[in-house]
Amino acid sequence: MSDLTLIIGNKNYSSWSLRPWFWMKHLDIPFKEKRIPLFTEQTNAQLEQYYSNYKVPVLLDGEFIVWDSMAILEYLAEKFPQHKGLPDYFKDRAMARSMCAEMHSSFAAMRNELPMNCRKTFSSIKLSDEASEDIERVTALWRYFRKRYMDKGPWLFGDFSIADAMYAPVVLRFKGYGIALNEIEQEYADYILSQKAIIEWCESGKKESEIILMDEING
Ligand SMILES: N[C@@H](CCC(=O)N[C@@H](CS)C(=O)NCC(=O)O)C(=O)O
């Protein structure tokens, strides 16, 4: 019997929180959820106890604390080995790790200019060259891996993996800002958007009333 609690930020805005939340919901891993609205006067005091440098997401497994979305996903994959986090073959696993690491360490312009905001939809948006290059790179990655693993299943590496959880928030960014995608990437994005867990997350996000001004972009 596990005693998992996932500490998340605002569902409307917190793209990093969505990664492990999507993983757990999609795989029916039971957990409690504790939402801490970000950038309020109380946020730091509420997050201090988790040793996460005042950031979400944080996973509590009983008294045990894991922070950082990627570390949480890896922890969950090890705790529940029936839900494989990464592909079986070691070279496929290496590629999935490359892709996750790139998501974790790159795409600053895309993140800044397209903050996740489930409430907003834009038909188009003016982007810097850097953000456009980030988008091209992400879509090239999706295209490459979808083509490569197309016959194994609908996810990036055929089966659902940590890579899909890592990139799901990007799908919401692209949808929200009306980023045009080619057929293969659009098919992947639509598949993510059709997932029950993603729909549930977005519905909850839209109902939240907090406004984080720096994440509110005017088209
Ligand atoms: N690398 C961390 C980043 C976590 C992160 O920056 N979370 C944002 C929310 S999406 C946060 O907590 N921001 C609050 C702050 O920076 O004070 C992860 O993947 O979990």
Side-chain angles (χ1 to χ4, degrees):
M1 173 76 183
S2 71
D3 175 19
L4 297 175
T5 303
L6 186 67
I7 319 287
I8 58 170
N10 314 56
K11 284 188 174 162
N12 189 52
Y13 299 109
S14 185
S15 57
W16 311 82
S17 301
L18 171 57
R19 297 168 172 184
W21 190 95
F22 177 35
W23 180 263
M24 294 167 91
K25 277 278 164 178
H26 182 74
L27 296 171
D28 282 328
I29 296 172
F31 68 103
K32 291 188 219 77
E33 165 184 323
K34 182 168 173 187
R35 196 184 75 97
I36 298 184
L38 300 173
F39 303 107
T40 73
E41 283 178 10
Q42 295 79 40
T43 306
N44 280 3
Q46 289 174 299
L47 286 174
E48 188 155 27
Q49 56 187 308
Y50 304 121
Y51 197 66
S52 66
N53 201 18
Y54 308 103
K55 303 224 185 289
V56 291
V58 177
L59 181 73
L60 308 182
D61 185 356
E63 308 260 294
F64 184 65
I65 301 176
V66 192
W67 67 95
D68 187 284
S69 54
M70 186 70 206
I72 295 170
L73 286 164
E74 289 198 13
Y75 178 78
L76 290 168
E78 291 193 3
K79 185 175 168 80
F80 301 101
Q82 68 274 34
H83 303 306
K84 269 185 245 149
L86 294 168
D88 283 331
Y89 179 52
F90 80 111
K91 288 188 176 171
D92 290 345
R93 256 199 321 279
M95 280 193 290
R97 284 202 188 96
S98 297
M99 199 174 171
C100 291
E102 187 166 347
M103 182 66 241
H104 219 34
S105 60
S106 316
F107 310 131
M110 180 188 78
R111 289 178 205 205
N112 286 339
E113 293 176 41
L114 308 180
M116 195 177 94
N117 187 337
C118 303
R119 286 194 289 255
K120 287 278 178 75
T121 46
F122 294 86
S123 51
S124 67
I125 184 156
K126 193 160 168 26
L127 294 169
S128 67
D129 290 348
E130 291 80 6
S132 299
E133 282 161 22
D134 285 351
I135 292 169
E136 272 171 37
R137 172 65 181 165
V138 168
T139 52
L141 284 168
W142 290 358
R143 201 161 45 247
Y144 177 78
F145 287 106
R146 283 303 300 130
K147 276 189 184 164
R148 198 176 163 109
Y149 297 101
M150 185 84 69
D151 56 338
K152 292 197 169 151
W155 303 95
L156 285 171
F157 289 83
D159 292 329
F160 185 55
S161 78
I162 285 177
D164 299 293
M166 292 294 286
Y167 281 84
V170 180
V171 171
L172 295 187
R173 293 174 197 259
F174 287 178
K175 176 179 178 260
Y177 296 93
I179 304 299
L181 300 174
N182 292 326
E183 199 181 335
I184 291 183
E185 302 92 274
Q186 189 62 58
E187 202 177 85
Y188 174 67
D190 288 343
Y191 190 64
I192 295 281
L193 293 170
S194 72
Q195 298 306 308
K196 205 167 139 243
I198 295 293
I199 294 169
E200 184 183 329
W201 175 277
C202 294
E203 289 307 314
S204 305
K206 284 177 191 162
K207 286 184 198 141
E208 292 174 348
S209 56
E210 303 97 6
I211 304 282
I212 299 180
L213 280 177
M214 67 183 170
D215 286 341
E216 292 290 332
I217 301 290
N218 298 309

